[in-house]
Amino acid sequence: MTAMRVFLRNQMRIIAPFATLIVLVAFFCLTSGSFASLDNAANILTQISVTGIIAVGLTFVILCAEIDLSVAAIANVTGIAVAYFTLQEGYVNIANVPLPGFAAIILALIGCFMLGLVNAAGITLIGIPSFIMTLAMMQIGAGISALLVRGQIAYAVPDLVSLLGAGRVAGIPCLVLVAAAFLLAGHLVLTYTRFGRYVYMVGGNREAAEYAGVNVKLVLGAVIVISAMCSGVAGMLGVAHFGSAQQNEFDGYLLDAIAAVVVGGTSLFGGRGGIGNTIIGLLILGVLNNGLDHIQIDSFLKILIRGLILLAALIINVYVQKVRESA
Amino acid sequence: MTEEAAPPLELRGISKSFGGVAALRDVDFVLRRGEIHGLVGENGAGKSTLMKIIAGLHGQYDGRMAIDGRPVHFRSPREALAAGIGMVHQELSVVPDLSVAENVYLGQQPTKGGIVDWRAMMDGARRHLASLGIDVDPGARMGSLAIGLQQLIELARVLFSGARIVILDEPTSALSPPEVQRLFEVLRGVRASGRSIVFISHFLDDVLAISDTVTIFRNGRLIATEAAGTIDKGWLIQRMIGRGHEELEGSYTGAIALYSKPDAPVVLDVRGLAAGRAFADVSLDVRAGEVLGIYGYMGCGLIELARTLFGKLRADAGTMSIGGKVLRPRSTAEACRAGIAFVPESRRSMLFHTEPVYKNMSISVLGRIGRLLLRPSVEKDIARRHVQSLSIRPPTVETLLGSLSGGNQQKVALAKWLTWPPKVLVLSEPTRGMDVGAKEDVVRIVKGLREQGMGVVVLSTEPETVLSLADRIVVMKKGRIVHEFAGRTVSKDQLLEAA
């Protein structure tokens, strides 16, 4: 009996979000005729893929008890950059620099890597709190995006990007496969590598990690750069998926990505959670967003409902943390 | 014949268990008016549990408690405080950025028309502090005061909020001898005013010096209560541990002989090291197979020196070399690679409480087990070896660290450096807050490391710790090394005198 309770208590972090997901799915299956179909399941997966790629990097950051508010802005810059270096149709009024596809992709990746590096330097070398540093980077990213497109919209992206972002393989959207690959890779790194262990330890007790000789700054810098790279890839594929590159295209993704990680049960205090949690969080968000479209509901009310669900998840997150600490 | 008034605090038949493990068994405890009552016992003996029941932190227990003869049962610290019971914890709960007066009046500032009446508060605080014999400017910022003074002000606040019974938990552990004397003077004044004090401490000399009565706990039972004047330290230790304690006793009272090893190679060489205002011009060397003890009072720069050696703090001047190679560590990772290991004084800041024992042990050697991938089976094998050789309880490597006792946690902290022994091991306060048995285990482990040829630096503000571990002792005072004891006998008195 006690053993069972201890087990349940230890697994609360995964059980609570999983139960939420089951309840949501059951609710929408019962209330909507069109929700429960294979097509719709594929829809949901596609809808959460861009968020999913961003959330992989963000999971690393939040596990270290840091935050990255610049993910959406970096996604936007990178998506715009890859279009900027691609030959656009004549009617697109952007002073762009057409390059071969692979060069455009590499330049875009270098771009987001550099932005991540600036974040990392600000946080680890100068000592700016990640919340503030990435808030500044959010603005810088938006600024670069604005300068590149100057209010215009670009459409063309390199072939590889448009294949991965908008193509299908054996009927399955490539975007879903890429997101799955990122999630899998993130999980493997966190679970089976030395770096992954360091991420958990730095998040669990930063001082102790430092006293154990772990290079804490290197780990923090690395997770910030990983987050920027994931955002960059999400941005490029997102542009292909949406079919256009423009200012403010990814604005909603910052909140969605943070929500996915936290709703899934990864601790905001660091050290607890993982990609498994993030996957459940993504599914909760995806089911919620999609399901609310399938039932008759005031579309303005939807925003409020999303907010309330996020609040509930945060309460559970903090509560589970307290239960663990008192255990 | 007049019946003597009921005692301020009386407990009868108190029992308390945590998840089936008895922490207190049928304890009777009486605190008299105007009495300083010392409470001693090893960690886990039950004294903290009893005090937490009295202070309202544990609401669930069996037995009866009475204040001035009236039965009470506190379910929160607020209720206990309202009944006149206050507690000063080892970790002070002062607000460093507020003034002394605001700290004294915390939560009950005098107001005039809804606005804080600063003049009344300053005057009131000055009067109250003066009545206790504490001479301090009530406008001073709390954080700018020495820790001993902050403690007195916290005590003043507890008294000011109406406490007639004050529980002091390890009040002297962070104090220098003059500060201890000042605390004792204040406590005697409090006693004279008819209020009662419970004095919990590991420092038996302090307990005997200030207490009227001493109570000893062991394994959740009250072993004895005696008038302090009739007993001595040996008598106390015997009842606290109930087994052989010759080595420890020796280090407490007698002089110990120091052995130097002039022919062993120098593993750590420090020349003219300085860091900010913490310490300056520190030069020392440590030879292989030698334990260098560094002794000094709290605040003398010991803590900063230890951190600088391990690259957590950056030195402003001076040089350091490990095994002949010059090193200026800019990070702990760099110091670690060079062969220095460090165990800081606070276990909380060096261990991962929500992780299993084996992850705590492997964290500093993961890179040697596998460059890229983790190898949990190897980690667990290594951890099992340490758990066995250090007799860590419970003897499993999957246990969450947080559920271990303090002494066992300290062993885990040491164990993480034993897999691939470093050249130099820096230990800051390795036995602080530990019970006698765990202290002996740590002494045994450190001596074992010395036999293996490791150079060990032990920094401590407790003379017993340095005396029981070191082969050579240097004394630090106000950030400088002022004395060295080598190749002869030294006693606690001599150490205290030098610092």
Side-chain angles (χ1 to χ4, degrees):
Chain A
M1 181 61 200
T2 7
M4 188 66 191
R5 268 180 44 199
V6 169
F7 175 78
L8 284 177
R9 178 181 272 190
N10 288 339
Q11 300 301 316
M12 267 301 273
R13 191 166 287 291
I14 197 80
I15 291 171
F18 197 68
T20 313
L21 177 62
I22 301 285
V23 168
L24 281 177
V25 170
F27 174 77
F28 287 123
C29 285
L30 292 174
T31 51
S32 153
S34 54
F35 176 79
S37 74
L38 216 53
D39 271 357
N40 194 42
N43 272 340
I44 293 175
L45 291 182
T46 314
Q47 286 161 1
I48 61 177
S49 288
V50 172
T51 318
I53 298 169
I54 297 176
V56 171
L58 206 56
T59 305
F60 280 77
V61 176
I62 292 180
L63 278 175
C64 282
E66 297 288 344
I67 191 71
D68 186 349
L69 299 178
S70 63
V71 285
I74 290 178
N76 203 355
V77 172
T78 315
I80 286 174
V82 81
Y84 186 83
F85 294 122
T86 306
L87 182 63
Q88 299 290 333
E89 299 290 341
Y91 58 81
V92 174
N93 188 17
I94 295 176
N96 69 335
V97 183
L99 292 174
F102 74 91
I105 295 172
I106 288 172
L107 279 177
L109 285 174
I110 289 174
C112 64
F113 178 77
M114 295 308 291
L115 294 180
L117 218 53
V118 172
N119 267 339
I123 293 165
T124 61
L125 298 183
I126 305 176
I128 306 170
S130 58
F131 186 88
I132 306 294
M133 181 65 217
T134 57
L135 195 65
M137 182 54 69
M138 181 168 144
Q139 202 60 38
I140 292 168
I144 298 173
S145 301
L147 281 172
L148 288 178
V149 291
R150 295 186 170 274
Q152 302 295 311
I153 300 174
Y155 299 96
V157 290
D159 290 342
L160 177 63
V161 173
S162 74
L163 171 71
L164 292 177
R168 280 171 181 269
V169 169
I172 304 167
C174 290
L175 185 58
V176 174
L177 296 177
V178 173
F182 266 72
L183 286 162
L184 179 66
H187 177 69
L188 294 178
V189 168
L190 280 176
T191 317
Y192 297 108
T193 69
R194 189 154 69 98
F195 172 70
R197 173 72 63 79
Y198 287 161
V199 168
Y200 279 100
M201 294 312 221
V202 167
N205 187 343
R206 186 166 301 178
E207 205 182 358
E210 196 169 359
Y211 283 137
V214 175
N215 196 333
V216 171
K217 287 183 175 174
L218 192 64
V219 173
L220 290 180
V223 299
I224 292 289
V225 170
I226 288 172
S227 173
M229 295 297 282
C230 288
S231 305
V233 171
M236 287 195 276
L237 302 193
V239 163
H241 178 63
F242 305 135
S244 68
Q246 56 186 302
Q247 185 75 36
N248 299 340
E249 194 167 21
F250 289 85
D251 283 2
Y253 284 83
L254 169 61
L255 215 59
D256 272 12
I258 294 176
V261 175
V262 176
V263 168
T266 293
S267 169
L268 281 168
F269 306 102
R272 294 273 141 192
I275 296 292
N277 293 85
T278 299
I279 292 173
I280 292 176
L282 284 165
L283 290 172
I284 290 176
L285 250 70
V287 166
L288 190 65
N289 286 342
N290 175 286
L292 290 173
D293 288 339
H294 283 263
I295 57 174
Q296 295 300 318
I297 188 166
D298 182 349
S299 62
F300 296 106
L301 184 61
K302 273 169 59 177
I303 303 170
L304 179 62
I305 290 178
R306 274 168 44 95
L308 291 176
I309 300 250
L310 182 58
L311 176 64
L314 288 173
I315 291 170
I316 291 172
N317 191 312
V318 172
Y319 173 74
V320 168
Q321 184 77 18
K322 281 191 181 146
V323 168
R324 278 201 63 90
E325 277 171 2
S326 67
Chain B
M1 183 180 116
T2 53
E3 186 73 22
E4 193 183 327
L9 177 68
E10 182 172 15
L11 295 107
R12 292 286 167 212
I14 300 288
S15 295
K16 164 88 187 165
S17 57
F18 296 101
V21 182
L24 283 176
R25 304 168 213 233
D26 196 25
V27 169
D28 293 339
F29 181 79
V30 176
L31 183 66
R32 299 187 191 289
R33 197 170 310 283
E35 173 185 64
I36 298 180
H37 197 131
L39 225 56
V40 299
E42 294 190 82
N43 291 342
K47 53 191 195 307
S48 309
T49 308
L50 185 70
M51 289 308 116
K52 283 180 177 168
I53 286 174
I54 296 172
L57 289 156
H58 290 319
Q60 291 282 331
Y61 59 88
D62 294 323
R64 287 173 293 119
M65 171 158 46
I67 302 256
D68 298 327
R70 278 180 297 106
V72 290
H73 190 130
F74 302 133
R75 288 190 171 74
S76 72
R78 185 180 288 267
E79 286 178 27
L81 194 58
I85 296 177
M87 188 156 178
V88 176
H89 292 272
Q90 189 176 8
E91 306 287 328
L92 296 181
S93 54
V94 297
V95 188
D97 287 320
L98 293 183
S99 68
V100 168
E102 286 168 288
N103 270 285
V104 169
Y105 277 88
L106 207 63
Q108 47 182 0
Q109 290 106 325
T111 55
K112 205 154 72 184
I115 295 164
V116 173
D117 185 349
W118 282 91
R119 178 174 296 185
M121 188 156 83
M122 288 296 170
D123 289 348
R126 183 178 291 116
R127 267 201 313 280
H128 177 60
L129 291 169
S131 75
L132 291 169
I134 306 169
D135 177 28
V136 61
D137 170 17
R141 201 178 69 89
M142 195 69 169
S144 69
L145 303 176
I147 197 85
L149 214 46
Q150 293 190 27
Q151 185 189 45
L152 288 177
I153 291 161
E154 174 148 353
L155 173 64
R157 175 175 64 79
V158 169
L159 292 170
F160 189 67
S161 62
R164 289 170 301 121
I165 296 169
V166 182
I167 301 165
L168 299 171
D169 188 14
E170 291 289 351
T172 58
S173 66
L175 304 186
S176 61
E179 287 177 316
V180 170
Q181 288 315 315
R182 186 171 52 181
L183 172 70
F184 284 180
E185 271 165 40
V186 171
L187 293 183
R188 289 189 191 106
V190 173
R191 173 173 64 185
S193 71
R195 285 171 284 197
S196 311
I197 292 165
V198 179
F199 189 98
I200 308 174
S201 182
H202 280 107
F203 295 91
L204 302 180
D205 290 324
D206 293 341
V207 173
L208 288 169
I210 188 67
S211 305
D212 304 305
T213 314
V214 180
T215 290
I216 301 124
F217 278 86
R218 187 172 78 224
N219 291 333
R221 288 183 205 281
L222 192 153
I223 299 298
T225 297
E226 283 295 330
T230 63
I231 54 175
D232 65 10
K233 200 156 154 185
W235 189 92
L236 279 182
I237 292 178
Q238 239 166 29
R239 272 149 196 81
M240 278 168 62
I241 62 180
R243 60 185 155 95
H245 56 273
E246 291 73 19
E247 187 176 359
L248 183 92
E249 176 71 340
S251 72
Y252 267 74
T253 53
I256 60 152
L258 299 172
Y259 308 95
S260 53
K261 300 190 171 179
D263 43 348
V266 171
V267 285
L268 173 69
D269 188 24
V270 174
R271 291 287 150 240
L273 207 63
R277 287 193 302 174
F279 61 88
D281 198 24
V282 168
S283 298
L284 34 92
D285 52 62
V286 183
R287 293 174 185 275
E290 178 186 56
V291 181
L292 174 70
I294 307 183
Y295 169 75
Y297 294 145
M298 187 70 65
C300 73
L302 280 183
I303 288 182
E304 293 82 0
L305 175 62
R307 278 161 176 62
T308 309
L309 293 178
F310 192 55
K312 176 84 164 70
L313 290 178
R314 211 86 77 89
D316 304 326
T319 59
M320 236 174 101
S321 58
I322 296 286
K325 269 198 289 187
V326 176
L327 173 78
R328 291 205 80 165
R330 276 162 304 154
S331 71
T332 57
E334 211 174 302
C336 202
R337 269 199 303 278
I340 305 183
F342 178 47
V343 179
E345 58 288 335
S346 149
R347 284 187 289 273
R348 183 160 287 282
S349 66
M350 84 185 135
L351 294 168
F352 304 89
H353 284 249
T354 55
E355 299 286 355
V357 166
Y358 80 90
K359 287 191 187 176
N360 273 285
M361 287 182 176
S362 65
I363 178 75
S364 47
V365 294
L366 281 180
R368 290 180 183 256
I369 298 175
R371 285 309 303 171
L372 178 68
L373 296 182
L374 294 172
R375 291 164 69 194
S377 60
V378 178
E379 285 178 54
K380 286 179 197 172
D381 281 346
I382 291 172
R384 259 181 228 115
R385 246 174 28 227
H386 291 316
V387 164
Q388 202 169 31
S389 69
L390 304 180
S391 49
I392 291 169
R393 295 281 169 273
T396 56
V397 299
E398 306 270 3
T399 325
L400 292 188
L401 184 99
S403 61
L404 266 55
S405 74
N408 281 308
Q409 290 185 9
Q410 182 76 1
K411 288 187 205 171
V412 173
L414 281 168
K416 68 185 191 191
W417 297 115
L418 304 186
T419 318
W420 277 275
K423 294 194 186 81
V424 179
L425 176 63
V426 179
L427 301 171
S428 184
E429 303 287 4
T431 59
R432 175 144 93 193
M434 293 170 89
D435 62 52
V436 174
K439 275 184 183 173
E440 281 177 356
D441 284 340
V442 169
V443 170
R444 195 168 46 78
I445 293 168
V446 171
K447 293 200 164 153
L449 296 175
R450 183 183 64 180
E451 297 314 312
Q452 291 174 28
M454 197 183 291
V456 183
V457 183
V458 173
L459 303 97
S460 181
T461 55
E462 299 175 15
E464 291 83 0
T465 305
V466 176
L467 288 170
S468 59
L469 287 168
D471 300 317
R472 194 154 57 84
I473 299 174
V474 297
V475 178
M476 240 175 125
K477 187 176 185 178
K478 300 196 171 147
R480 286 168 192 277
I481 287 181
V482 292
H483 208 295
E484 175 166 348
F485 294 98
R488 63 184 185 87
T489 59
V490 58
S491 69
K492 185 175 165 183
D493 300 348
Q494 288 171 309
L495 264 192
L496 288 173
E497 220 166 290

